[in-house]
Amino acid sequence: MLSLGWLLFTLLLGIYGLTTIVISKGKAAEIAIGAGPIYFFIGGIWFTLYQYQLNLFQANPATHALSSLHFHFSSAIVPIFIGTLGRIMKKKSWYSWVVAIDIIGPILIAIGMIFSKLTEYIGVTLFACNIVVYTAYLLAYLRKNALDNKATFFLGLSCLAFYTVVVLSILYPLLKKIFFLTILDFIPVYGSLHAFGFVLCGLIGWVYTVDFIKEKAVNRLHRSSLVRFML
């Protein structure tokens, strides 16, 4: 029953995300941020299906659990992170493509999980490559720009958690044979790295980053006002 409450909450998030996209006036960063809450709602649907152990087309409850993690901690959060990065970075010609792929990738994954493995693989590949672009650019941005030490630390941890997930995903077939693991054994590890590593550290890092940039802008404004006053 609690999952139904969560489903309703994510529905409200989805409506908020849709509203954000409508009023974004075509700004890629704002569209990305609006897409995040919509994918939260899709994650809420998968989570509810898992709690009630319902089958959807060819997907079983175990697939619902993995899909719920994916849409809560990857599909929903990555667009928000990419949108936040877009707000502070110098606009690049490729940024709109990153946003577009980030929105299309999860849709292909969701369709592929039910109807076509090939479509799922294409979606996963596009989405994973997109996160690589985001994390690589973010690490380069942190290296070149002086930010709050806490922001740099947590954003760096977030990127490290993502790369750890990638490595574990690549090694999963081997680990499964050596340690006799199943997908249900992998889900808690996958979920923890995403929830507490990539997502939580990323959110904390971006909060520190935004606060630092705001404080820097206020100080610059104060200095400018002081110079004008002295002149």
Side-chain angles (χ1 to χ4, degrees):
M1 293 299 295
L2 290 177
S3 68
L4 294 177
W6 179 250
L7 179 62
L8 176 60
F9 175 70
T10 56
L11 172 61
L12 297 177
L13 287 178
I15 295 173
Y16 170 78
L18 183 61
T19 303
T20 301
I21 293 175
V22 171
I23 65 177
S24 66
K25 296 181 180 180
K27 296 181 180 178
E30 303 307 315
I31 292 175
I33 292 175
I38 294 176
Y39 286 141
F40 262 119
F41 174 52
I42 297 177
I45 295 174
W46 285 112
F47 179 68
T48 304
L49 290 172
Y50 169 71
Q51 289 296 327
Y52 281 89
Q53 295 291 291
L54 299 175
N55 293 322
L56 180 63
F57 298 106
Q58 299 176 1
N60 56 42
T63 303
H64 298 339
L66 190 60
S67 299
S68 175
L69 290 174
H70 171 69
F71 277 98
H72 277 99
F73 300 129
S74 291
S75 301
I77 294 298
V78 174
I80 296 175
F81 284 178
I82 290 178
T84 307
L85 177 63
R87 286 178 172 179
I88 66 172
M89 66 182 281
K90 293 181 179 179
K91 292 300 182 289
K92 306 289 185 179
S93 58
W94 48 262
Y95 179 74
S96 296
W97 287 101
V98 171
V99 172
I101 293 173
D102 193 59
I103 294 174
I104 295 172
I107 297 175
L108 292 177
I109 294 173
I111 294 174
M113 283 181 174
I114 299 175
F115 299 109
S116 170
K117 281 295 180 182
L118 177 60
T119 303
E120 180 183 357
Y121 292 148
I122 294 174
V124 169
T125 301
L126 289 175
F127 193 70
C129 291
N130 218 36
I131 303 178
V132 170
V133 172
Y134 158 74
T135 52
Y137 185 89
L138 177 58
L139 290 174
Y141 181 91
L142 294 174
R143 183 179 179 182
K144 295 180 181 179
N145 296 271
L147 295 179
D148 181 83
N149 290 332
K150 294 178 181 178
T152 302
F153 174 75
F154 281 106
L155 289 175
L157 278 182
S158 177
C159 295
L160 179 62
F162 165 72
Y163 289 121
T164 302
V165 170
V166 171
V167 172
L168 288 178
S169 299
I170 295 174
L171 296 179
Y172 173 69
L174 179 62
L175 295 174
K176 180 174 64 175
K177 292 182 180 180
I178 296 177
F179 299 103
F180 304 102
L181 300 175
T182 66
I183 189 172
L184 293 178
D185 296 318
F186 184 64
I187 286 175
V189 178
Y190 180 84
S192 297
L193 284 171
H194 270 79
F196 301 108
F198 180 67
V199 173
L200 182 59
C201 289
L203 288 173
I204 295 173
W206 278 119
V207 169
Y208 278 124
T209 300
V210 172
D211 290 343
F212 176 80
I213 292 175
K214 287 182 178 179
E215 182 180 352
K216 190 175 180 180
V218 170
N219 291 336
R220 189 184 302 113
L221 180 61
H222 286 169
R223 287 196 299 269
S224 177
S225 299
L226 180 61
V227 170
R228 287 199 300 268
F229 176 77
M230 294 176 64
L231 293 176

